[in-house]
Amino acid sequence: MCRGSFLPPLLLLAAALVAAAEPASTLSGPARPVTVPLGERGHAVDLPDTDPRVQRRVTGWAPEQVAVALSADPTSAWVSWITGDFQMGAAVQPLDPTTVASVVRYGLAADSLLHEASSGESLVYSQLYPFEGLQNYTSGIIHHVRLRGLDPGTKYYYQCGDPAIPDATSGVHAFRTMPAVGPRSYPERIAVVGDLGLTYNTTSTVEHMVRNQPDLILLLGDVCYANLYLTNGTGTDCYSCDFAKSTPIHETYQPRWDYWGRYMEPVTSTIPMMVVEGNHEIEEQIHNRTFAAYSSRFAFPSEESGSSSPFYYSFDAGGIHFVMLASYADYSRSGEQFRWLERDLAKVDRSVTPWLIAGWHAPWYTTYKAHYREADCMRVEMEELLYSHGVDVVFTGHVHAYERSNRVFNYTLDPCGPVHISVGDGGNREKMATGHADDAGGCPDPASTPDPFMGGVLCAANFTAGPAAGRFCWDRQPEYSAYRESSFGHGVLEVKNDTHALWRWHRNQDRYNAVGDEVYIVREPHKCLRPGNNKLTRLSSSPRLASSPLVTLVVSQESHRHRVVVQCGNSVSAPRISETQASPAESSSVIQSDTSPLVHALQSTASQDVSCFHFPGHNRGKAAPSSLSKLIGPGAFLHDLPELPELDDLFSPNGVILDAQKRASELFGSSKTWFLVNGTTCGIQASVMATCSPGDYLIVPRNCHISVISALVLSGAIPKYIIPEYNSGWDIAGGITPLQVEEAVKELEEDGKRVGGVLVTSPTYHGVCSNVQGIVSVCHPRGIPVIVDEAHGAHFRFHDSLPSTATEQGADLAVQSTHKVLCSLTQSSMLHMTGDLVSVDKVSQCLQVLQSSSPSYLLLSSLDAARDHLSKNTNIFDDPLAMALETKDQLTTVPGISVLDLPCFASDFPAIDPLRITLSASDLQLSGYEADDILYEGHQIVSELVGTRSVTFAVNLGTRAQDVEKLVQSAKHLSEKCFLANSSKLMKEHRVCDPLDMISVHLTPREAFFTKKRRVRIEDSLGEICGELICPYPPGIPVLIPGEVVTHDSLSYLMNVRHQGITISGAVDAELNSISVCDL
Ligand SMILES: Cc1ncc(COP(=O)(O)O)c(C=O)c1O
């Protein structure tokens, strides 16, 4: 066999081996430290000012140095640019920022820039050195405009400038917004660079980086190195070596910033870039002014993320929360940065943004001699806070080399500590860091390590254990250092999902996509996040940080610049919820500040790897019946947890449940909100029990829900019925009026009876609202509390065109079925209180009596999640409302079909829920049941409620355009099919009389409930005292309530109901052959 014939299999084998070589993973524990031998590095030489890439390519007021930065979330972004040229000289005259407007036009296609933004600021800054022979600088006009209302994960085209001035707008650029915030979407590639500079090595880094197609760039400080120049444009590789002694102040040559902005424009105008300050941005000028160029030229989401400084801020991109911190601003625990960081981290919800990534300039874990342990004071102050919040990765720059750590905390290997990655050489002209502190003779003198600008204090203590015990340096590469290499380059982080991210270091000497170092960074939340909150579990196993000498940095952050605030955006009408919605910081007085604390607590607890000896016996799903587990998924069982300490106690809440309820009360505008696991039913019962003692009167509409009757039984209150208006053509009852309430109250008062409360059903099942405010004005002056059964109106607060809520109208107690129109799980409801007419403690006590002592956490957390969802989506009802209105309009044009509306009632009811569509096909000679059958059998349309003369459809947040279109088409079909066919038929009369008339009460509901019963044939029941509730639904009006005498009218109504084959759910004999009567 010739030699060549071996090659293909060998090559294949080699290829297979290469393909099989998976990157290492942090899961396999700390890696053995690796030092890559020093290769070729080449000297980095700055691009000269004659290079065409750094020269001004525009004229007049045309924009240049265009750049995009992210705002705090993916729905907003900043566009920045410069108009007008800079000036250098002994006397410079700053430009007037008002000369040119700041406008960005943007849209989804290059030829359709339909949106316009002009909210932000425009400014100039100056760098002043009023010393003999030195030159001053003043910038062009720098514009920052914020675009809002963007769709996440979407490509936007834009043009910036002043459209009113000829040739003062830019060409069309495009960028893509970050993916929507949430645990399932991530930016594909995040490029990370540091210490970039503007050399020929920089251009190689940038070119490689762009070819790797990042969606986002993090630049970790040290941007253009203008501070390696004198004001006359003379540069050096080492300022302190060449100029320090001969200059009155550390000079800079600010045009290098403009060069950098011009060179970078093709990148920064297309890929959002987020920057933090490095030491080369300090750029001290007279009056101790610092960071003028940095803070003027870049846009930061500081204000949006609650920071008051351009030096530290945070933002979300997909499932990642980034915090960008300042090495050169006060980082002490009492300082503003630290307090902001505490607030920011407390808000992070790891179920929404599982990844927490931090970035700043000066590394804490570096083993190079240059800048060795220079940032130890910052580490001592901040490390525990970051660790306790489970930061996953830390990116830094500063040291001109590459280094990746093992997971580490306080210099100790810790599986829950972050991975620190320093990418300190993007190509700048300073020397590369090549020597290590652990090289023989390499350990620097500790006294030489502190940076004066960072406080000038030595915070590094000697080590007491490990290979460096008793020393400042290690005697070999420390175990926390996993990989180090002195090379130029950039890194790319690919976050694959909520636990896995691939990190790759790309060296300039390789092809752009070749990999120098790579590792899978794997999160282990079950191991590292403490259940019930965001924190880590293992603080106690790690050595506590030694407290540091007090280091308080006073860095002048004011730059010399003229700032003009340009238009502050369009005034958008504030959604109603904003009036009462407190900031998360205000609302999280209890424990949590996640946006859905209960959901988060449940998730954290479920992610524990623990041996469970508690109920329920399916043991977090391990013993779940497989048929149900397959049906609803194992997750439902995993999260079906009992009242564990971290999950709080519904009946004595002081943790996550209290926090979640507080948030709900803020959103719904109440003074107190209770979560209910037994539906609105138990809320109504508790409300009646809390307001009425046995023998008190409760004024109620006759068409109240069955839960009110059971409340009367439980409380011993006596009903005083108000007969609501009844439309016999529709066989539907409406609401009640303030006048009716006033008459009932007066009647009782005249008879010397005590009124415990008034209960109003508003809206009714069909959406008819009563004038709650009017009823409150009748009751409150008399000290009578108003309870509103608002089971069908939980959504009213979330759109201006929906009726006002009972709480807004002053009701004392309002009970809402969050599970009806809103999106919590069936059986979950809320009880809202306002005012002080009713005792909070009494309501709590009654709720405890009425609810299970093992409330379902699935139900409770579904309430928390529903509230959170609503609070984040203020326009959520726009589409359903538009669809419902359009559908009603279309249905009214269908021959033979009518739609229920307010004019169907003579009373002046204030509103009807636009999302409830009730139609009648009576003109087609169809009963509600017949119409419903046709719609279901023939068109697969499932309604919410069927009556003798109507069918009701509930439009909700899940209703799709195709559903309502189908409804309209089906109604048309029904009309076409039945119009002629049935025209000769006469509509069968389904009713014999008004079910609300002729009530004769003999016993209270409670007395009747506890009286002995017997069964009689329905035909023989005339004159008997009814012992059960007989309530055909619809119209949902009880014909007989326990304790009422069976009259001729009620009997004939029931016989008719039976004749139609309607069953009475809840009656002892649902087919009404017999009824239960009191055996007195
Ligand atoms: C008017 C009215 N009130 C109260 C309730 C009881 O609500 P829940 O099912 O949440 O207990 C209902 C239920 O349909 C209802 O229609």
Side-chain angles (χ1 to χ4, degrees):
M1 195 184 281
C2 72
R3 199 169 169 240
S5 63
F6 277 103
L7 273 175
L10 276 177
L11 282 175
L12 280 174
L13 181 63
L17 282 175
V18 169
E22 269 287 300
S25 147
T26 55
L27 264 193
S28 48
R32 295 251 318 265
V34 169
T35 302
V36 176
L38 202 56
E40 206 185 301
R41 69 169 297 261
H43 183 62
V45 177
D46 266 352
L47 300 192
D49 40 19
T50 51
D51 190 298
R53 290 170 291 182
V54 305
Q55 288 176 349
R56 191 161 192 250
R57 296 183 286 278
V58 297
T59 53
W61 293 116
E64 62 159 344
Q65 304 181 47
V66 180
V68 179
L70 302 179
S71 182
D73 75 62
T75 63
S76 178
W78 288 93
V79 176
S80 306
W81 69 96
I82 297 184
T83 50
D85 207 356
F86 64 81
Q87 302 159 53
M88 279 297 284
V92 288
Q93 189 57 48
L95 294 172
D96 175 1
T98 58
T99 322
V100 200
S102 315
V103 177
V104 179
R105 289 190 172 150
Y106 60 102
L108 297 176
D111 56 358
S112 153
L113 307 179
L114 300 176
H115 305 279
E116 188 170 293
S118 55
S119 131
E121 62 177 352
S122 65
L123 54 102
V124 297
Y125 80 94
S126 301
Q127 194 80 12
L128 302 176
Y129 305 114
F131 300 98
E132 185 67 31
L134 267 52
Q135 299 198 45
N136 296 318
Y137 169 94
T138 185
S139 70
I141 301 170
I142 301 170
H143 307 256
H144 301 296
V145 167
R146 186 167 163 207
L147 318 187
R148 295 164 202 250
L150 303 176
D151 286 330
T154 304
K155 186 170 184 179
Y156 281 93
Y157 294 83
Y158 69 97
Q159 230 175 351
C160 54
D162 184 346
I165 301 177
D167 302 323
T169 44
S170 71
V172 177
H173 302 281
F175 76 99
R176 185 172 283 281
T177 52
M178 291 297 106
V181 176
R184 269 182 280 282
S185 52
Y186 295 92
E188 277 185 37
R189 282 171 298 276
I190 302 159
V192 188
V193 274
D195 306 67
L196 206 45
L198 188 55
T199 70
Y200 290 102
N201 272 325
T202 309
T203 59
S204 145
T205 306
V206 171
E207 194 190 307
H208 282 202
M209 179 176 78
V210 170
R211 293 187 73 177
N212 279 327
Q213 300 182 342
D215 310 293
L216 168 66
I217 300 169
L218 304 184
L219 173 50
L220 298 153
D222 286 1
V223 179
C224 72
Y225 290 75
N227 71 339
L228 294 183
Y229 284 79
L230 300 178
T231 58
N232 65 12
T234 312
T236 177
D237 292 343
C238 172
Y239 191 99
S240 58
C241 318
D242 295 336
F243 307 135
K245 294 180 192 75
S246 57
T247 55
I249 187 170
H250 190 131
E251 296 171 44
T252 69
Y253 187 61
Q254 289 294 301
R256 296 292 308 174
W257 275 102
D258 295 284
Y259 299 169
W260 190 88
R262 290 168 189 159
Y263 166 71
M264 288 295 285
E265 186 185 77
V267 182
T268 55
S269 60
T270 355
I271 306 167
M273 183 174 74
M274 306 305 283
V275 188
V276 276
E277 89 293 351
N279 53 305
H280 283 272
E281 281 72 70
I282 297 172
E283 301 191 325
E284 194 175 359
Q285 51 176 310
I286 52 156
H287 305 314
N288 289 333
R289 289 206 169 99
T290 50
F291 293 105
Y294 165 82
S295 46
S296 304
R297 287 174 179 267
F298 297 111
F300 310 96
S302 303
E303 203 180 317
E304 300 99 290
S305 58
S307 152
S308 53
S309 163
F311 301 99
Y312 44 88
Y313 57 86
S314 67
F315 60 97
D316 288 335
I320 312 173
H321 183 72
F322 290 91
V323 283
M324 306 296 267
L325 300 179
S327 305
Y328 302 98
D330 182 1
Y331 42 67
S332 65
R333 288 175 203 210
S334 55
E336 184 41 45
Q337 176 174 203
F338 192 91
R339 278 185 275 130
W340 166 81
L341 181 61
E342 280 181 315
R343 288 196 303 273
D344 187 78
L345 292 176
K347 278 187 255 171
V348 179
D349 181 347
R350 302 301 282 274
S351 64
V352 177
T353 50
W355 287 87
L356 183 48
I357 296 180
W360 62 85
H361 187 59
W364 295 348
Y365 289 97
T366 176
T367 60
Y368 289 89
K369 188 174 171 185
H371 305 300
Y372 182 65
R373 305 190 66 181
E374 188 179 282
D376 240 25
C377 294
M378 182 185 179
R379 183 187 68 77
V380 169
E381 292 292 302
M382 292 187 146
E383 186 172 22
E384 192 166 318
L385 178 61
L386 293 181
Y387 176 83
S388 70
H389 282 274
V391 168
D392 299 299
V393 189
V394 171
F395 290 116
T396 53
H398 198 39
V399 175
H400 296 167
Y402 170 72
E403 185 160 22
R404 169 172 61 83
S405 81
N406 282 310
R407 289 191 176 281
V408 62
F409 171 62
N410 199 19
Y411 282 108
T412 307
L413 294 176
D414 185 319
C416 296
V419 173
H420 290 252
I421 298 175
S422 184
V423 292
D425 214 343
N428 72 78
R429 68 185 287 177
E430 285 187 326
K431 272 203 303 206
M432 180 168 277
T434 52
H436 307 116
D438 46 277
D439 291 344
C443 185
D445 173 5
S448 71
T449 57
D451 177 342
F453 202 86
M454 293 183 79
V457 181
L458 178 67
C459 295
N462 281 357
F463 295 94
T464 51
R471 276 170 292 183
F472 183 62
C473 300
W474 274 249
D475 55 6
R476 56 181 176 273
Q477 183 174 1
E479 65 279 14
Y480 66 75
S481 169
Y483 183 103
R484 62 188 183 187
E485 171 175 13
S486 303
S487 57
F488 293 111
H490 74 283
V492 174
L493 185 74
E494 292 177 28
V495 179
K496 308 282 184 188
N497 56 33
D498 59 347
T499 51
H500 286 64
L502 180 60
W503 165 254
R504 286 181 159 150
W505 172 245
H506 299 281
R507 311 179 314 172
N508 284 5
Q509 65 261 45
D510 304 326
R511 265 176 61 78
Y512 70 94
N513 58 357
V515 176
D517 172 41
E518 64 182 340
V519 69
Y520 264 111
I521 301 172
V522 183
R523 300 181 59 241
E524 295 183 277
H526 56 285
K527 189 153 113 188
C528 299
L529 292 178
R530 185 190 299 159
N533 61 20
N534 292 329
K535 311 250 166 106
L536 285 179
T537 46
R538 300 186 59 259
L539 274 173
S540 57
S541 66
S542 300
R544 301 278 305 175
L545 292 171
S547 63
S548 65
L550 187 66
V551 183
T552 306
L553 298 180
V554 183
V555 175
S556 161
Q557 299 172 356
E558 255 314 299
S559 55
H560 186 197
R561 65 197 202 177
H562 302 260
R563 183 181 293 261
V564 167
V565 174
V566 295
Q567 269 173 263
C568 289
N570 307 331
S571 68
V572 181
S573 70
R576 273 156 56 180
I577 58 164
S578 65
E579 290 160 24
T580 51
Q581 200 176 2
S583 71
E586 284 166 345
S587 65
S588 62
S589 55
V590 185
I591 280 181
Q592 283 291 329
S593 45
D594 300 304
T595 61
S596 44
L598 203 39
V599 174
H600 186 265
L602 210 56
Q603 192 201 26
S604 301
T605 301
S607 69
Q608 295 168 329
D609 185 11
V610 287
S611 301
C612 302
F613 292 93
H614 60 65
F615 303 143
H618 61 63
N619 205 323
R620 304 194 184 188
K622 294 184 207 76
S626 63
S627 56
L628 188 60
S629 186
K630 272 190 205 135
L631 188 69
I632 63 172
F637 284 97
L638 181 64
H639 297 96
D640 180 26
L641 294 164
E643 287 180 300
L644 297 166
E646 66 271 21
L647 295 182
D648 207 1
D649 177 352
L650 181 62
F651 301 112
S652 183
N654 61 11
V656 284
I657 293 182
L658 181 60
D659 192 5
Q661 290 186 156
K662 276 189 168 186
R663 286 161 191 262
S665 100
E666 280 151 11
L667 185 67
F668 286 88
S670 69
S671 57
K672 166 107 187 137
T673 290
W674 288 265
F675 283 1
L676 312 175
V677 292
N678 193 20
T680 293
T681 298
C682 78
I684 288 175
Q685 292 167 342
S687 300
V688 174
M689 286 171 76
T691 48
C692 299
S693 302
D696 285 353
Y697 277 77
L698 179 73
I699 297 173
V700 282
R702 175 73 186 176
N703 59 337
C704 61
H705 185 255
I706 182 171
S707 54
V708 181
I709 309 302
S710 60
L712 293 170
V713 171
L714 289 165
S715 65
I718 305 168
K720 166 82 179 162
Y721 294 115
I722 292 180
I723 308 299
E725 185 186 334
Y726 172 71
N727 183 319
S728 57
W730 283 86
D731 194 18
I732 284 175
I736 56 172
T737 65
L739 188 63
Q740 287 177 301
V741 173
E742 188 162 22
E743 282 167 6
V745 172
K746 280 187 179 154
E747 234 176 83
L748 290 170
E749 278 173 351
E750 276 161 21
D751 290 350
K753 311 279 196 234
R754 203 189 101 81
V755 183
V758 171
L759 188 144
V760 188
T761 310
S762 180
T764 63
Y765 210 149
H766 296 99
V768 180
C769 296
S770 295
N771 178 355
V772 173
Q773 195 172 9
I775 293 169
V776 166
S777 337
V778 170
C779 295
H780 278 186
R782 296 170 160 93
I784 302 172
V786 176
I787 304 163
V788 178
D789 173 357
E790 208 174 23
H792 294 273
H795 55 298
F796 282 3
R797 193 154 167 81
F798 302 103
H799 202 282
D800 280 338
S801 56
L802 287 168
S804 50
T805 68
T807 300
E808 286 163 352
Q809 295 180 71
D812 301 273
L813 294 166
V815 202
Q816 298 178 334
S817 295
T818 322
H819 66 94
K820 290 196 196 293
V821 180
L822 299 182
C823 308
S824 64
L825 292 177
T826 296
Q827 218 172 300
S828 60
S829 286
M830 293 191 201
L831 168 54
H832 306 295
M833 174 186 267
T834 48
D836 52 10
L837 262 186
V838 186
S839 150
V840 169
D841 290 346
K842 191 82 188 282
V843 175
S844 299
Q845 211 183 355
C846 296
L847 284 171
Q848 184 163 11
V849 167
L850 294 163
Q851 298 192 94
S852 164
S853 62
S854 315
S856 159
Y857 274 89
L858 294 178
L859 298 187
L860 293 173
S861 59
S862 80
L863 288 168
D864 189 30
R867 187 272 314 148
D868 187 40
H869 187 59
L870 289 162
S871 68
K872 287 178 180 152
N873 297 283
T874 44
N875 300 327
I876 200 163
F877 275 102
D878 284 359
D879 289 346
L881 278 165
M883 279 192 285
L885 293 177
E886 169 82 23
T887 307
K888 280 188 184 177
D889 282 353
Q890 292 185 9
L891 286 171
T892 45
T893 64
V894 179
I897 300 285
S898 350
V899 178
L900 184 77
D901 212 341
L902 285 181
C904 300
F905 298 96
S907 310
D908 189 17
F909 297 127
I912 187 164
D913 181 1
L915 292 183
R916 226 24 83 95
I917 302 176
T918 297
L919 61 82
S920 160
S922 296
D923 292 345
L924 300 175
Q925 315 308 326
L926 292 174
S927 73
Y929 303 104
E930 288 164 337
D932 188 60
D933 277 351
I934 298 171
L935 290 173
Y936 176 60
E937 302 290 345
H939 302 274
Q940 293 75 52
I941 289 178
V942 184
S943 63
E944 166 60 33
L945 176 69
V946 196
T948 53
R949 292 172 170 244
S950 65
V951 191
T952 301
F953 305 88
V955 175
N956 54 41
L957 293 170
T959 307
R960 302 162 302 174
Q962 71 237 48
D963 299 325
V964 283
E965 277 159 22
K966 188 161 135 191
L967 176 59
V968 172
Q969 289 314 320
S970 309
K972 285 183 182 161
H973 190 256
L974 187 80
S975 164
E976 280 158 19
K977 201 170 134 201
C978 303
F979 201 67
L980 289 176
N982 291 357
S983 59
S984 55
K985 255 181 21 184
L986 266 186
M987 176 80 172
K988 275 181 266 157
E989 185 56 69
H990 291 295
R991 230 181 18 84
V992 277
C993 65
D994 189 328
L996 304 164
D997 294 345
M998 309 302 224
I999 303 161
S1000 165
V1001 179
H1002 197 87
L1003 297 175
T1004 67
R1006 182 181 171 85
E1007 286 165 345
F1009 184 86
F1010 289 109
T1011 302
K1012 204 170 148 220
K1013 310 281 173 349
R1014 65 190 156 85
R1015 296 272 288 278
V1016 295
R1017 291 192 321 139
I1018 187 100
E1019 295 85 351
D1020 303 333
S1021 64
L1022 188 65
E1024 297 281 358
I1025 299 163
C1026 185
E1028 61 174 327
L1029 183 75
I1030 313 266
C1031 180
Y1033 229 108
I1037 301 161
V1039 180
L1040 287 167
I1041 287 175
E1044 290 179 358
V1045 180
V1046 182
T1047 61
H1048 183 75
D1049 279 353
S1050 51
L1051 185 59
S1052 86
Y1053 186 88
L1054 290 180
M1055 299 291 276
N1056 185 265
V1057 164
R1058 188 177 72 171
H1059 177 66
Q1060 288 179 54
I1062 300 170
T1063 55
I1064 312 283
S1065 119
V1068 176
D1069 176 356
E1071 277 153 23
L1072 275 192
N1073 292 315
S1074 61
I1075 64 167
S1076 164
V1077 296
C1078 295
D1079 193 10
L1080 286 177

